[in-house]
Amino acid sequence: MSLKLGDVVPDFTQDSTIGPFHFYEWAGESWVVLFSHPRDFTPVCTTELGAVAALKPEFDRRGVKVAGLSVDPLDSHARWADDIEKSQGHALNFPLIADHDRSVSLALDLIHPGASDTTTVRTVLVIDPARKLRLTLTYPASTGRNFAEILRTVDSLQLTDRHKVATPADWKHGDDVIIVPSVDDEAARALFPAGWDAPLPYLRTVRQPA
């Protein structure tokens, strides 16, 4: 199965550091960030799990649940969690899925044979409350993920779901946004009565809606 943006992410059940992990039941009506790791005790991933633990209040504030996944078994995850807390200063405060039989990795297309026949690539999936895949990022083993960027993309997705806007390059929360082309000027006047700037006829920027 190859998941594409807009596809419904399938339900699954697997072991995890919080006990049996039933994806749909755990996710509830929340947004989800699910990020995979090739295996336990890898140095880059150790720093990433610590970074996400530190940022968890920011994910919580946005109504986002986070979960990690690695193909190693649960007892290995427990030992790795100790290393993460000792080295990164933050204990795991979110589930780490133990995909020991690779069933979840295969269902979510997290094993790329060109990279490895057996281990997951380092992918981030952002999933909305309707279980649809909204964003995917895949990194090489040598490059640590930027979780501040992942928070930024969540901010953009949540904002643009609520309003008829898009976010420009390097946008961050509070910056001006773009009125989407499907909204003509007449409709835009009703939606944005304070007006907008238009450096180009098709590029109309407006203050970020509240």
Side-chain angles (χ1 to χ4, degrees), residues 3-44:
L3 286 173
K4 301 292 191 297
L5 296 185
D7 287 351
V8 173
V9 176
D11 195 13
F12 61 83
T13 299
Q14 188 55 285
D15 294 333
S16 83
T17 53
I18 62 168
F21 185 90
H22 308 284
F23 174 52
Y24 280 11
E25 180 182 326
W26 170 82
E29 297 182 357
S30 298
W31 288 73
V32 170
V33 169
L34 176 64
F35 59 111
S36 60
H37 302 272
R39 61 185 183 275
D40 293 0
F41 306 106
T42 51
V44 173

Side-chain angles (χ1 to χ4, degrees), residues 179 185-196 206-207 209:
I179 302 170
D185 285 352
E186 182 178 356
R189 279 189 283 274
L191 291 170
F192 309 103
W196 58 84
V206 66
R207 293 191 64 171

Side-chain angles (χ1 to χ4, degrees), residues 80-91:
W80 193 21
D82 288 340
D83 283 358
I84 292 161
E85 183 173 10
K86 289 174 185 175
S87 66
Q88 304 306 305
H90 294 279

Side-chain angles (χ1 to χ4, degrees), residues 22-147:
H22 308 284
F23 174 52
Y24 280 11
E25 180 182 326
W26 170 82
E29 297 182 357
S30 298
W31 288 73
V32 170
V33 169
L34 176 64
F35 59 111
S36 60
H37 302 272
R39 61 185 183 275
D40 293 0
F41 306 106
T42 51
V44 173
C45 295
T46 298
T47 66
E48 292 178 329
L49 287 162
V52 173
L55 286 171
K56 188 170 181 295
E58 290 298 317
F59 286 104
D60 291 343
R61 189 167 65 82
R62 292 162 171 83
V64 178
K65 294 184 175 181
V66 293
L69 178 146
S70 175
V71 297
D72 285 323
L74 199 55
D75 60 342
S76 175
H77 282 11
R79 297 193 304 274
W80 193 21
D82 288 340
D83 283 358
I84 292 161
E85 183 173 10
K86 289 174 185 175
S87 66
Q88 304 306 305
H90 294 279
L92 281 184
N93 49 14
F94 55 88
L96 183 57
I97 299 163
D99 191 29
H100 49 84
D101 61 1
R102 297 176 174 79
S103 60
V104 179
S105 301
L106 292 169
L108 301 186
D109 196 30
L110 300 177
I111 293 178
H112 293 187
S116 170
D117 289 334
T118 58
T119 59
T120 54
V121 291
R122 296 172 56 253
T123 292
V124 180
L125 305 178
V126 178
I127 302 160
D128 70 18
R131 313 284 189 257
K132 290 185 177 180
L133 181 63
R134 299 295 299 277
L135 180 140
T136 180
L137 296 167
T138 299
Y139 289 71
S142 59
T143 303
R145 285 170 275 206
N146 183 337
F147 288 96

